[in-house]
Amino acid sequence: GVYDATTDVQLYPIDICEGERIKGIEQSEIYTCGDDGEVIITSYFSTDCTGNSDLETIAYFPFDTDVTIKCELSSADDCQYAIVRSYLDDNSCSKGNLSRADTQYYDSTEPVNRCRYNSNKDQSTKIQCNSTAIWETYYSGNDCSTKLADVDPEVIIENGCDEDYSHLSDLYPDREAYVEVIYCPNNSNIISAFIGLIIGSFVMILY
């Protein structure tokens, strides 16, 4: 994955194709690691990273000059990620039909199941997912083992209408995007299962 070289926080997965169709133009891109640890982005005029590439260049991710990145495949949880698809179709928020050439959508990834430690706060967080949502849980200490009692997990993405999540909404400010988790790894190391939302709160079952 792509990591912050200082904090070892995973920023982005590698070797994962992200496709999109916007205003009738089909494109996709994939991040890979170069021989010297640089991040390379390759884009295609297809939705599945096949065919002839139209661009291959060194990517600077995140776009922050204060962050030194490293690119490698070095740990068991390196490839843990979720894929979210955002639709913007017709005149209202609805799940699009990909078989229609005019269906607009955008795929994006979210690293999951990796503990991230904030030394300034002595707290850690872990992003997890299931087939309907992606959420972040907060813990004390550096190993994501003791959940903070006074902090509820935070929903990052939930299947359904979302006027804030997708950049597709920027193209049409009077519409909402429909977002959907289309892939979440079945990882036995996940220690919590997200089972629902009740007026913005969660019920978590540890197993």
Side-chain angles (χ1 to χ4, degrees), residues 143-157:
D143 60 358
C144 295
S145 63
T146 304
K147 195 174 104 173
L148 292 177
D150 58 343
V151 180
D152 289 332
E154 178 184 355
V155 175
I156 299 173
I157 295 163

Side-chain angles (χ1 to χ4, degrees), residues 74-123:
S74 62
S75 62
D77 59 355
D78 188 273
C79 289
Q80 297 295 304
Y81 61 91
I83 300 178
V84 177
R85 178 162 291 163
S86 300
Y87 297 92
L88 188 65
D89 199 29
D90 300 321
N91 293 317
S92 62
C93 175
S94 61
K95 181 177 177 179
N97 183 346
L98 293 186
S99 65
R100 286 174 43 185
D102 61 345
T103 295
Q104 301 187 86
Y105 73 96
Y106 171 79
D107 290 344
S108 59
T109 56
E110 180 71 46
V112 296
N113 302 334
R114 184 176 177 87
C115 188
R116 308 180 184 194
Y117 179 57
N118 185 332
S119 59
N120 294 327
K121 296 182 178 180
D122 191 29
Q123 293 179 358

Side-chain angles (χ1 to χ4, degrees), residues 9-185:
V9 169
Q10 185 174 357
L11 304 170
Y12 210 77
I14 59 171
D15 301 329
I16 307 302
C17 182
E18 297 180 340
E20 67 176 44
R21 183 193 295 140
I22 299 177
K23 293 187 175 181
I25 299 176
E26 295 186 345
Q27 290 183 303
S28 56
E29 62 184 26
I30 189 168
Y31 290 86
T32 57
C33 293
D35 294 336
D36 297 320
E38 72 275 24
V39 184
I40 298 174
I41 180 172
T42 306
S43 62
Y44 301 83
F45 285 122
S46 66
T47 59
D48 58 0
C49 297
T50 60
N52 295 326
S53 63
D54 69 291
L55 175 67
E56 182 173 292
T57 187
I58 294 177
Y60 296 93
F61 182 91
F63 301 101
D64 186 341
T65 56
D66 294 330
V67 175
T68 302
I69 62 174
K70 62 179 180 179
C71 191
E72 62 183 6
L73 182 63
S74 62
S75 62
D77 59 355
D78 188 273
C79 289
Q80 297 295 304
Y81 61 91
I83 300 178
V84 177
R85 178 162 291 163
S86 300
Y87 297 92
L88 188 65
D89 199 29
D90 300 321
N91 293 317
S92 62
C93 175
S94 61
K95 181 177 177 179
N97 183 346
L98 293 186
S99 65
R100 286 174 43 185
D102 61 345
T103 295
Q104 301 187 86
Y105 73 96
Y106 171 79
D107 290 344
S108 59
T109 56
E110 180 71 46
V112 296
N113 302 334
R114 184 176 177 87
C115 188
R116 308 180 184 194
Y117 179 57
N118 185 332
S119 59
N120 294 327
K121 296 182 178 180
D122 191 29
Q123 293 179 358
S124 51
T125 61
K126 181 180 285 189
I127 296 175
Q128 297 168 278
C129 63
N130 61 18
S131 61
T132 62
I134 299 174
W135 67 96
E136 185 171 26
T137 305
Y138 297 83
Y139 303 83
S140 61
N142 64 357
D143 60 358
C144 295
S145 63
T146 304
K147 195 174 104 173
L148 292 177
D150 58 343
V151 180
D152 289 332
E154 178 184 355
V155 175
I156 299 173
I157 295 163
E158 182 183 15
N159 288 5
C161 293
D162 188 342
E163 61 183 6
D164 299 320
Y165 175 67
S166 173
H167 81 266
L168 291 178
S169 295
D170 295 335
L171 299 174
Y172 304 95
D174 58 331
R175 302 187 192 179
E176 294 180 328
Y178 182 96
V179 297
E180 179 184 27
V181 179
I182 63 172
Y183 173 76
C184 175

